[in-house]
Amino acid sequence: MAEQRSQRMTRQRKIILEELRKLKTHPTADELYDAVRERLPRISLGTVYRNLDVLQENGEVLKLESAGSQKRFDGDIRPHYHVRCVRCGRVGDVENEVADLDVSGVNAPGFTITGGTVEFYGVCDICRNQEKASRPDGPQGRQ
């Protein structure tokens, strides 16, 4: 019975989902909490975390996990890949289609491989532009 209660779309859960779907930045729970507080000033961070877990379990949001990084969330549940900036950690969507990962030839002793994920990495435009601007031969260094 408790499981049914956790699956119900509460007002708080609905607002958390709405706010997440508005954001294309793949926010952390803390970042989403700041956005949700605009509409629900008395909501707790713990409530946001718990509801994100339920929404992820229900397949309504994606939880993006990468070693050494905070979990981020995506309201776009269609199958797609992500790219992460190696400098600032910003996450974006890969817009074009990429061939699915073929795990049929993967050999990992002691494991039966059932799937995998691919995450692309690079430098985002913001970090690249900041890097260019800070170089001595960059725009402000030229005379």
Side-chain angles (χ1 to χ4, degrees):
M1 181 148 13
E3 188 174 315
Q4 282 181 334
R5 210 174 327 128
S6 69
Q7 303 302 317
R8 201 174 41 120
M9 184 58 78
T10 64
R11 179 174 178 265
Q12 289 177 328
R13 192 169 299 145
K14 182 177 185 238
I15 289 172
I16 290 167
L17 183 58
E18 287 171 359
E19 291 302 311
L20 179 59
R21 287 185 175 160
K22 283 183 199 175
L23 298 171
K24 302 301 176 200
T25 59
H26 305 83
T28 64
D30 291 359
E31 291 166 345
L32 183 58
Y33 167 69
D34 289 339
V36 169
R37 284 190 56 201
E38 298 288 322
R39 291 177 62 187
L40 297 172
R42 301 191 69 175
I43 195 167
S44 73
L45 180 58
T47 298
V48 172
Y49 271 99
R50 282 189 299 278
N51 278 286
L52 283 169
D53 284 341
V54 170
L55 289 166
Q56 190 263 327
E57 289 169 11
N58 291 345
E60 296 182 69
V61 303
L62 299 176
K63 186 187 300 185
L64 310 177
E65 299 184 75
S66 185
S69 298
Q70 277 190 300
K71 293 178 186 113
R72 293 183 169 273
F73 296 88
D74 192 348
D76 180 359
I77 59 171
R78 68 183 168 82
H80 64 287
Y81 293 103
H82 296 95
V83 60
R84 181 181 304 270
C85 179
V86 296
R87 300 235 168 74
C88 69
R90 180 174 163 248
V91 176
D93 291 324
V94 173
E95 295 298 325
N96 59 317
E97 296 220 6
V98 178
D100 286 333
L101 180 64
D102 179 11
V103 297
S104 61
V106 177
N107 182 17
F111 290 88
T112 300
I113 303 296
T114 59
T117 61
V118 173
E119 180 179 83
F120 297 95
Y121 56 88
V123 178
C124 72
D125 290 344
I126 295 167
C127 288
R128 191 170 41 87
N129 289 336
Q130 286 175 345
E131 185 179 281
K132 281 182 188 178
S134 67
R135 282 193 211 138
D137 64 336
Q140 70 267 39
R142 293 186 190 139
Q143 309 242 353

